[in-house]
């Protein structure tokens, strides 16, 4: 799709000339993701005609890949019959995803034109809490009876498979829909055709499933750990209610990571793309933490005020404040980031805390020593002042780095312990805290050695 | 696997009692990922016996999920015949992954016991640059001739499928192995059994492939964009040489994200887990940036020294320095993080730069205004000094936030423009730069209004 510009030109030309069948032919040769991208990029007024040109099975797939605004726009413009056909072709999880984002009047219209059965399901899906397995699952899965033979199972897949989100892992249930096992399509193909599904399925310890209310991040961890293509979702009675496929898991991983990035930068997490978010909304996401951190700067100010006479006596002391605060903040940010990421991907666990602290003590001692020595050289070359001041700055830096590393590795773990997101304990928060501690150490040392 | 403690106990008991067949039975009921986890957690001396108990097809899969140290340990202990069987069962990409990490003497032994054909392939794989598609692909794929019927194709999958990394997307080639199309197994199952592969495969614009030398991050983007289960890898002559499956892509996404986190925290990226990395190595990853940033603190120091008389006249000015630097640093970090993430996931492109700047100007004005007003209240309540000092601090904050937002959104884009990783332009670097600018603005304003 490097030639999307070229394609767009071709398509615009066909639209202008009204060559509908040539347009349809061109479009149906493309991947649905690319068709969606093209619809996003053409003139707004051309979107509906182009969308209508598509065969209906393709148009439902394309619709799922459109951005929410475009989806809402198209739904507003198509007629009732078209809407019903579209909803009929779409996977339920795509419909739910779309409904979760669009304005209420669009939701009402869509629900009014869904089949009664589908409406009931959609309403149930919309009720699942946003971050749980139920909200991202789909019900289009292959269910097999344990009493089927492999040949019967394949026959069932042949008959119903085209409407399923994936057929590559099938799920085996009893009459009451209790999940009993899973079976990869490959196993069905490879085994003797008279073997029973119940005999070849993966069950007991090999069967991996999640609950509708499990956090979607936990589901992602399971799919990653076991390299699954899909995972079955069960209710509290172990009845199969849906599946989650790996492509949705990839999206979950991306969204959760973005949320971590936002929290680490002291931003209120937002589901919307930056470019599509309004200026006031963006400001609103940023101001709370900036305010809190600014106000806590009062304490740092008080510390500085308390050492007024000391500071006015040694200008090099004041001049080194920014560098010291910066270094301790950077040192703290390095380790807190490592901890947050390590906790997120499961490389570090709560029980590792003391190992981490012991390790950081040693790493900090090395870092502090190197930086302290380098600082004496730096000040000797570039700064005014006497050797005793250089010494105080370096000593303060040594201790500040040690405190920074200890706090930087402790706070994320502490957050996890009290069930807060470790990502909150990142850069800005830690820097502000370290500003206070670093200056207190600094001035205390200065008082001892210089006065 | 919540009951892994229980399982471990059971297994330890069976080992002690020497009940080999019971042990084998218990293990083979488990998922290979769980077996690998158990081998990691039992006594080192029990690892080899437990590993030997496993049926050889399972043991190869389990081996692929073990950590590198354990893999190397096992390879050192098993005999030549066992090593040959293991290598024979393993997927080539797993063998290559393992060889990329272990000591040279292990590599030599493994290569010596590989079949000549495999050795040639392994050597070729080991030569691909670390971050390219070739280094993560596998050669175990299903290749179909375009002249096959659907029934013949399924027969071929039945015959050879068990050794393939995935059979769910098959790839169609001509006699010279040129890639002509792809075909989902589902299409083969659903179509008439006499239809020709060449007629039902996805080709031309629908066929998505990558080159062996493409960056693995680009490959991940393509798999994400098109929701693929696997993507074919071709050489410069469009000959099919391998495939990359979605589970490996999930790992790539995770590793690349971790690298971004590390760069953003001014750490040298590292492939190793934190807990397994030595203290000196960790210190070495952290010291360079800490040193560079500390030394550039000299400039900030010089700025402070230049305003010596001003600062000694107004203690509230000195006391507000940390808060001002903190606020501008936090404001800059907020937007730089949004930009870095937006560029990484493709929500923001280079061409959006001016839209971003215009947006940030407005967001910054709102943030700056709110913070400035809040600051006057804060200083009135908590700080010494006169109203003109409060005013200067607030005005400096207003401008500092605007500069912070502009620099924070510009540097990541600039980095991308000159082909550096935008993640480098994050917290610590931007804070250090902003310290200088903020203090310059601050003191200049103070001079104008207070002297």
């Amino acid at each position: 799709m490097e030639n999307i510009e070229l394609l767009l030109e071709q398509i615009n030309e066909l639209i202008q000339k009204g060559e509908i069948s040539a347009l349809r032919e061109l479009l149906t040769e493309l991947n649905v993701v690319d068709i969606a991208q093209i619809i996003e990029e053409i003139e707004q007024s051309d979107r509906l005609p182009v969308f209508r040109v598509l065969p209906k099975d393709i148009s439902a797939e394309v619709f799922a890949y459109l951005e929410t605004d475009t989806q809402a726009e198209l739904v507003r413009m198509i007629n009732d019959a078209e809407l019903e056909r579209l909803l009929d072709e779409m996977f339920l999880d795509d419909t739910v995803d779309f409904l979760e984002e669009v304005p209420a009047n669009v939701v009402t219209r869509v629900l009014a034109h869904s089949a009664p059965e589908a409406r009931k399901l959609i309403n149930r899906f919309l009720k699942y809490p946003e971050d749980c397995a139920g909200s991202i699952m789909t019900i289009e899965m292959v269910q097999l009876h344990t009493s089927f033979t492999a040949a019967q199972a394949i026959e069932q897949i042949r008959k119903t498979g085209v409407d399923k989100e994936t057929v590559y892992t099938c799920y085996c249930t009893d009459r009451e829909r209790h999940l009993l096992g899973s079976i990869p399509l490959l196993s069905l193909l490879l085994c003797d055709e008279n073997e029973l599904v119940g005999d070849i399925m993966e069950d007991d310890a090999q069967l991996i499933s999640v609950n509708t209310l499990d956090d979607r991040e936990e589901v992602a961890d399971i799919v990653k750990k076991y390299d699954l293509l899909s995972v079955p979702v069960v209710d509290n009675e172990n009845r199969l209610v849906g599946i989650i496929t790996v492509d949705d898991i990839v999206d979950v991983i991306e969204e959760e990571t973005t949320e971590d990035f936002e929290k680490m930068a002291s931003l209120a997490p937002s589901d919307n793309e930056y470019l599509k978010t309004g200026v006031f909304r963006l400001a609103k996401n940023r101001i709370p933490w900036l305010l809190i951190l600014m106000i806590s700067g009062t304490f740092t100010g008080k510390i500085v005020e308390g050492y007024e006479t000391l500071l006015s006596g040694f200008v090099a002391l004041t001049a080194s404040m920014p560098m010291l605060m910066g270094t301790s903040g950077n040192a703290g940010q390095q380790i807190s980031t490592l901890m947050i990421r390590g906790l997120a991907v499961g490389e570090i666990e709560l029980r590792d805390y003391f190992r981490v602290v012991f390790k950081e003590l040693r790493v900090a001692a090395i870092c502090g020593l190197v930086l302290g020595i380098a600082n004496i050289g730096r000040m000797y070359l570039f700064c005014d002042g006497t050797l005793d001041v250089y010494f105080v700055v370096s000593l303060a830096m040594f201790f500040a780095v040690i405190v920074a590393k200890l706090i930087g590795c402790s706070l994320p773990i502490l957050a996890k312990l009290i069930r807060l997101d470790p990502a909150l304990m990142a850069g800005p928060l830690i820097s502000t805290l370290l500003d206070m501690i670093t200056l207190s150490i600094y001035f205390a040392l200065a008082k001892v050695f210089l006065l």
Side-chain angles (χ1 to χ4, degrees), chain A:
Chain A
M1 282 303 293
E2 286 152 45
N3 45 5
I4 186 141
E5 305 292 329
L6 217 102
L7 255 172
L8 274 172
E9 240 172 73
Q10 257 180 293
I11 286 166
N12 278 326
E13 213 181 294
L14 291 175
I15 297 174
Q16 242 113 67
K17 289 193 191 151
E19 297 192 13
I20 298 301
S21 65
L23 181 62
R24 178 181 296 124
E25 203 172 314
L26 178 65
L27 287 174
T28 46
E29 268 176 25
L30 300 177
N31 185 297
V32 290
V33 182
D34 293 327
I35 304 178
Q37 196 181 337
I38 284 167
I39 291 184
E40 295 290 344
E41 303 211 4
I42 57 178
E43 294 286 313
Q44 199 168 343
S45 57
D46 290 335
R47 286 183 185 158
L48 185 58
V50 169
F51 186 70
R52 278 188 169 142
V53 154
L54 299 169
K56 71 175 176 160
D57 54 328
I58 291 182
S59 67
E61 279 190 77
V62 169
F63 187 84
Y65 281 104
L66 290 173
E67 304 200 5
T68 316
D69 299 346
T70 318
Q71 288 177 328
E73 181 194 318
L74 283 175
V75 166
R76 284 203 192 89
M77 292 189 297
I78 58 180
N79 63 39
D80 292 351
E82 284 174 316
L83 181 58
E84 275 164 35
R85 268 204 307 274
L86 177 67
L87 292 170
D88 192 45
E89 285 285 335
M90 274 176 71
F91 286 129
L92 191 74
D93 63 332
D94 290 332
T95 310
V96 173
D97 280 353
F98 151 63
L99 290 179
E100 275 169 347
E101 303 291 333
V102 293
N105 59 345
V106 178
V107 177
T108 318
R109 177 152 185 249
V110 167
L111 284 178
H113 289 90
S114 300
E117 186 63 15
R119 186 168 23 197
K120 237 172 74 187
L121 277 170
I122 291 172
N123 273 319
R124 205 176 73 202
F125 270 60
L126 287 174
K127 272 189 209 121
Y128 285 115
E130 202 191 342
D131 283 337
C132 76
S135 75
I136 52 168
M137 71 183 181
T138 178
I139 54 158
E140 281 90 1
M141 62 215 158
V142 178
Q143 278 184 70
L144 301 174
H145 251 270
T146 45
S147 60
F148 280 7
T149 63
Q152 284 174 317
I154 289 177
E155 194 46 41
Q156 160 126 342
I157 293 168
R158 252 192 244 270
K159 263 194 284 183
T160 63
V162 72
D163 283 336
K164 304 305 173 189
E165 179 118 7
T166 179
V167 303
Y168 298 135
T169 310
C170 307
Y171 296 99
C172 316
T173 54
D174 61 17
R175 268 166 216 283
E176 285 80 39
R177 294 177 58 111
H178 292 111
L179 179 65
L180 298 177
S182 69
I183 187 161
L185 177 56
L186 182 60
S187 304
L188 288 175
L189 280 183
L190 294 181
C191 72
D192 183 282
E193 60 175 21
N194 294 318
E195 274 199 80
L196 293 183
V197 164
D199 294 336
I200 44 177
M201 70 185 182
E202 292 167 356
D203 53 7
D204 301 325
Q206 292 196 359
L207 176 63
I208 293 150
S209 67
V210 299
N211 187 285
T212 43
L213 294 178
D214 282 352
D215 190 89
R216 60 181 198 163
E217 215 169 343
E218 283 165 41
V219 180
D221 287 341
I222 287 173
V223 171
K224 265 189 291 187
K225 178 174 175 188
Y226 294 100
D227 288 343
L228 302 174
L229 295 180
S230 60
V231 66
V233 184
V234 297
D235 62 14
N236 290 331
E237 276 81 48
N238 195 37
R239 280 186 307 239
L240 181 65
V241 289
I243 60 169
I244 297 172
T245 48
V246 65
D247 52 312
D248 293 323
I249 290 298
V250 170
D251 296 341
V252 168
I253 294 174
E254 197 138 87
E255 283 170 35
E256 294 287 340
T257 309
T258 298
E259 216 182 284
D260 277 357
F261 272 104
E262 288 169 341
K263 284 188 187 156
M264 288 174 70
S266 299
L267 289 157
S270 150
D271 279 342
N272 300 317
E273 284 189 27
Y274 171 79
L275 287 172
K276 292 194 181 146
T277 312
V279 168
F280 281 97
R281 177 87 236 166
L282 285 174
K284 210 178 133 199
N285 291 342
R286 297 186 200 174
I287 287 175
W289 271 109
L290 286 180
L291 259 182
I292 293 170
L293 295 172
M294 182 198 84
I295 290 170
S296 47
T298 308
F299 299 104
T300 325
K302 286 285 159 208
I303 295 168
V304 176
E305 277 176 17
Y307 290 91
E308 190 183 345
T309 34
L310 180 75
L311 286 172
S312 56
F314 298 87
V315 64
L317 278 188
T318 316
S320 293
M321 276 171 47
M323 186 275 299
L324 262 181
M325 290 188 293
T327 302
S328 76
N330 295 339
Q333 189 155 350
Q334 287 184 329
I335 177 64
S336 69
T337 302
L338 280 184
M339 294 303 295
I340 290 166
R341 185 66 185 157
L343 287 167
V345 300
E347 280 179 8
I348 297 172
E349 315 250 355
L350 289 181
R351 59 170 183 216
D352 297 319
Y353 178 61
F354 292 103
R355 273 176 75 192
V356 171
V357 166
F358 181 54
K359 198 159 210 165
E360 278 312 304
L361 265 178
R362 290 173 294 162
V363 175
I366 298 173
C367 291
L369 208 64
V370 172
L371 288 173
I373 293 169
N375 177 62
I376 290 190
R378 178 191 75 92
M379 292 189 80
Y380 182 76
L381 287 174
F382 303 117
C383 301
D384 302 333
T386 48
L387 209 61
D388 52 354
V389 176
Y390 306 168
F391 171 73
V392 165
V393 174
S394 280
L395 199 63
M397 177 134 58
F398 178 78
F399 286 119
V401 168
I402 289 184
V403 173
K405 294 291 184 196
L406 288 185
I407 288 188
C409 75
S410 300
L411 285 190
I413 288 196
L414 188 73
K416 177 132 192 173
L417 210 61
I418 58 174
R419 290 170 180 280
L420 277 176
D421 192 328
L424 290 170
M425 301 297 162
L429 189 75
I430 285 189
S431 303
T432 307
L433 188 61
L434 285 174
D435 279 354
M436 293 179 228
I437 300 175
T438 304
L439 290 183
S440 301
I441 296 175
Y442 182 38
F443 296 145
L445 286 173
K447 216 169 156 182
V448 170
F449 287 99
L450 300 182
L451 286 189

